PDB file of all heavy atoms in Angstrom:
ATOM      1  N   ILE A 200      79.736 181.043  73.292  1.00 95.00           N
ATOM      2  CA  ILE A 200      80.984 180.717  72.449  1.00 95.00           C
ATOM      3  C   ILE A 200      82.258 181.069  73.168  1.00 95.00           C
ATOM      4  O   ILE A 200      83.274 180.314  73.105  1.00 95.00           O
ATOM      5  CB  ILE A 200      80.906 181.383  71.082  1.00 95.00           C
ATOM      6  CG1 ILE A 200      79.673 180.922  70.333  1.00 95.00           C
ATOM      7  CG2 ILE A 200      82.138 181.136  70.248  1.00 95.00           C
ATOM      8  CD1 ILE A 200      79.374 181.598  69.012  1.00 95.00           C
ATOM      9  N   GLU A 201      82.190 182.160  73.835  1.00 93.00           N
ATOM     10  CA  GLU A 201      83.390 182.645  74.630  1.00 93.00           C
ATOM     11  C   GLU A 201      83.777 181.688  75.726  1.00 93.00           C
ATOM     12  O   GLU A 201      84.982 181.353  75.939  1.00 93.00           O
ATOM     13  CB  GLU A 201      83.137 183.997  75.247  1.00 93.00           C
ATOM     14  CG  GLU A 201      84.206 184.546  76.119  1.00 93.00           C
ATOM     15  CD  GLU A 201      85.498 184.865  75.446  1.00 93.00           C
ATOM     16  OE1 GLU A 201      85.427 185.055  74.176  1.00 93.00           O
ATOM     17  OE2 GLU A 201      86.550 184.932  76.053  1.00 93.00           O
ATOM     18  N   TYR A 202      82.830 181.058  76.459  1.00 93.00           N
ATOM     19  CA  TYR A 202      83.138 180.244  77.632  1.00 93.00           C
ATOM     20  C   TYR A 202      83.090 178.743  77.341  1.00 93.00           C
ATOM     21  O   TYR A 202      83.559 177.955  78.080  1.00 93.00           O
ATOM     22  CB  TYR A 202      82.174 180.628  78.738  1.00 93.00           C
ATOM     23  CG  TYR A 202      82.374 182.073  79.347  1.00 93.00           C
ATOM     24  CD1 TYR A 202      81.372 182.973  79.002  1.00 93.00           C
ATOM     25  CD2 TYR A 202      83.487 182.376  79.969  1.00 93.00           C
ATOM     26  CE1 TYR A 202      81.516 184.255  79.456  1.00 93.00           C
ATOM     27  CE2 TYR A 202      83.620 183.732  80.501  1.00 93.00           C
ATOM     28  CZ  TYR A 202      82.645 184.681  80.195  1.00 93.00           C
ATOM     29  OH  TYR A 202      82.792 185.941  80.620  1.00 93.00           O
ATOM     30  N   GLU A 203      82.353 178.372  76.271  1.00 95.00           N
ATOM     31  CA  GLU A 203      82.211 176.953  75.934  1.00 95.00           C
ATOM     32  C   GLU A 203      82.642 176.673  74.522  1.00 95.00           C
ATOM     33  O   GLU A 203      82.028 175.818  73.823  1.00 95.00           O
ATOM     34  CB  GLU A 203      80.798 176.508  76.243  1.00 95.00           C
ATOM     35  CG  GLU A 203      80.292 176.737  77.658  1.00 95.00           C
ATOM     36  CD  GLU A 203      78.869 176.315  77.856  1.00 95.00           C
ATOM     37  OE1 GLU A 203      78.312 175.623  76.958  1.00 95.00           O
ATOM     38  OE2 GLU A 203      78.344 176.721  78.882  1.00 95.00           O
ATOM     39  N   ALA A 204      83.655 177.268  74.073  1.00 93.00           N
ATOM     40  CA  ALA A 204      84.136 177.053  72.674  1.00 93.00           C
ATOM     41  C   ALA A 204      84.536 175.680  72.468  1.00 93.00           C
ATOM     42  O   ALA A 204      85.274 175.054  73.265  1.00 93.00           O
ATOM     43  CB  ALA A 204      85.206 178.047  72.326  1.00 93.00           C
ATOM     44  N   GLY A 205      84.174 175.059  71.280  1.00 95.00           N
ATOM     45  CA  GLY A 205      84.514 173.761  70.965  1.00 95.00           C
ATOM     46  C   GLY A 205      83.499 172.668  71.517  1.00 95.00           C
ATOM     47  O   GLY A 205      83.534 171.542  71.093  1.00 95.00           O
ATOM     48  N   LYS A 206      82.637 173.063  72.395  1.00 97.00           N
ATOM     49  CA  LYS A 206      81.578 172.195  72.927  1.00 97.00           C
ATOM     50  C   LYS A 206      80.151 172.504  72.394  1.00 97.00           C
ATOM     51  O   LYS A 206      79.242 171.857  72.875  1.00 97.00           O
ATOM     52  CB  LYS A 206      81.591 172.281  74.490  1.00 97.00           C
ATOM     53  CG  LYS A 206      82.923 171.877  75.122  1.00 97.00           C
ATOM     54  CD  LYS A 206      82.906 171.988  76.607  1.00 97.00           C
ATOM     55  CE  LYS A 206      84.273 171.781  77.233  1.00 97.00           C
ATOM     56  NZ  LYS A 206      84.104 171.851  78.750  1.00 97.00           N
ATOM     57  N   LEU A 207      80.119 173.551  71.616  1.00 97.00           N
ATOM     58  CA  LEU A 207      78.776 173.976  71.097  1.00 97.00           C
ATOM     59  C   LEU A 207      78.585 173.483  69.677  1.00 97.00           C
ATOM     60  O   LEU A 207      79.479 173.602  68.832  1.00 97.00           O
ATOM     61  CB  LEU A 207      78.648 175.524  71.175  1.00 97.00           C
ATOM     62  CG  LEU A 207      78.891 176.155  72.555  1.00 97.00           C
ATOM     63  CD1 LEU A 207      78.778 177.701  72.371  1.00 97.00           C
ATOM     64  CD2 LEU A 207      77.887 175.638  73.566  1.00 97.00           C
ATOM     65  N   VAL A 208      77.388 172.969  69.344  1.00 98.00           N
ATOM     66  CA  VAL A 208      77.050 172.502  68.002  1.00 98.00           C
ATOM     67  C   VAL A 208      75.907 173.451  67.521  1.00 98.00           C
ATOM     68  O   VAL A 208      74.881 173.584  68.243  1.00 98.00           O
ATOM     69  CB  VAL A 208      76.644 171.057  67.982  1.00 98.00           C
ATOM     70  CG1 VAL A 208      76.212 170.620  66.569  1.00 98.00           C
ATOM     71  CG2 VAL A 208      77.791 170.196  68.516  1.00 98.00           C
TER      72      VAL A 208
END
Side-chain angles (χ1 to χ4, degrees):
I200 296 174
E201 173 70 20
Y202 296 107
E203 301 179 13
K206 302 178 183 179
L207 303 177
V208 177

